[in-house]
Amino acid sequence: MLEFAILGLLQEAPMHGYELRKELTAKLGAIRAAISYGSLYPTLRRLQAAGWITEAAETPATAEEVPALTSRRGRVVYTITAEGKERFAQLIAQAGPETYDDTGFGVHFAFFARTDQATRLRILEGRRRKIEERREGLRDVLGRAAERLDAYTLELQRHGLDACEREVRWLEELIANERSGRAPTVPHPGTAGGRREDNSPPPPGESRKERP
């Protein structure tokens, strides 16, 4: 998945390693916990060895772009090759079980804007099946073992079930959008998912007049 994400980012522009890490963090969101310098640079070396990326000329590093306690030597800039673009095209067209699990789905979803509609739909439907299976497993646990679970374990199981139900609803909305040819709705300030409406109740500890 990291290979796929790196090739996708380098399709947009050449980048040095630290810049790639920042872009991966921004693009992958919650999945970024799996991204570290320890995994990034070995992957870059493998991509170079495969001929999918190449090193461009070094550029001087600035203080703002270099993490604390690291050297300010010149940065190696990575560029995707023609073979790398072909490899990315192969990866982005995949829609097998590896694209349904948490990490695989998250990385592929981050590049959905460059994925064809049929592939997007197959991945979304596969992810929905996987989460529905997870949901049914949690329901079964709650139905059979709820009386044997302590209050905290029970609450954790309910939290997992709620998360599955929310994701299934989200996936069904995305699937409906794909089938109708609509892109996901981007929330605007003052709407759900953005800033609260003026007539919505304030959160605990905040009064209406304290709102900006």
Side-chain angles (χ1 to χ4, degrees):
M1 290 298 108
L2 182 56
E3 168 190 312
F4 172 57
I6 290 171
L7 291 175
L9 288 174
L10 292 180
Q11 286 243 66
E12 299 173 2
M15 300 182 193
H16 56 81
Y18 182 61
E19 192 176 17
L20 268 170
R21 179 132 190 270
K22 289 196 300 183
E23 291 298 317
L24 286 167
T25 298
K27 198 167 188 72
L28 301 185
I31 309 170
R32 65 182 180 270
I35 307 300
S36 68
Y37 283 114
S39 57
L40 176 60
Y41 286 100
T43 304
L44 288 169
R45 287 194 291 270
R46 287 197 300 273
L47 294 175
Q48 280 185 273
W52 295 331
I53 65 172
T54 186
E55 292 183 4
E58 293 187 356
T59 60
T62 65
E64 294 79 10
E65 295 173 325
V66 179
L69 305 179
T70 59
S71 170
R72 287 185 60 185
R73 68 178 185 273
R75 304 165 300 177
V76 175
V77 177
Y78 299 95
T79 304
I80 193 168
T81 64
E83 292 80 6
K85 292 178 180 179
E86 292 178 1
R87 175 59 176 166
F88 179 74
Q90 293 171 354
L91 293 173
I92 203 170
Q94 292 179 355
E98 70 279 1
T99 67
Y100 309 155
D101 63 29
D102 294 344
T103 301
F105 175 74
V107 174
H108 274 267
F109 192 83
F111 291 95
F112 259 23
R114 284 187 268 164
T115 306
D116 68 82
Q117 183 184 22
T119 301
R120 291 197 303 262
L121 192 55
R122 287 198 299 273
I123 292 174
L124 290 170
E125 290 174 338
R127 175 67 176 179
R128 181 178 61 182
R129 288 193 299 272
K130 187 174 186 68
I131 299 303
E132 285 174 338
E133 291 171 1
R134 186 180 299 174
R135 179 188 64 187
E136 295 311 308
L138 287 168
R139 284 176 175 172
D140 185 56
V141 168
L142 287 169
R144 290 186 298 103
E147 295 180 356
R148 299 196 304 272
L149 299 176
D150 63 77
Y152 293 100
T153 303
L154 185 60
E155 190 61 28
L156 182 63
Q157 296 294 324
R158 287 173 175 164
H159 174 71
L161 179 57
D162 288 344
C164 287
E165 290 175 340
R166 287 194 302 271
E167 183 167 354
V168 168
R169 290 194 297 269
W170 175 67
L171 289 165
E172 287 176 343
E173 181 180 350
L174 289 171
I175 289 168
N177 286 341
E178 288 294 335
R179 288 173 174 164
S180 63
R182 298 193 308 269
T185 302
V186 178
H188 296 286
T191 62
R195 192 169 160 221
R196 294 187 306 274
E197 296 282 354
D198 290 341
N199 60 355
S200 61
E206 180 184 326
S207 64
R208 292 185 187 276
K209 64 181 180 180
E210 292 173 336
R211 294 186 185 181

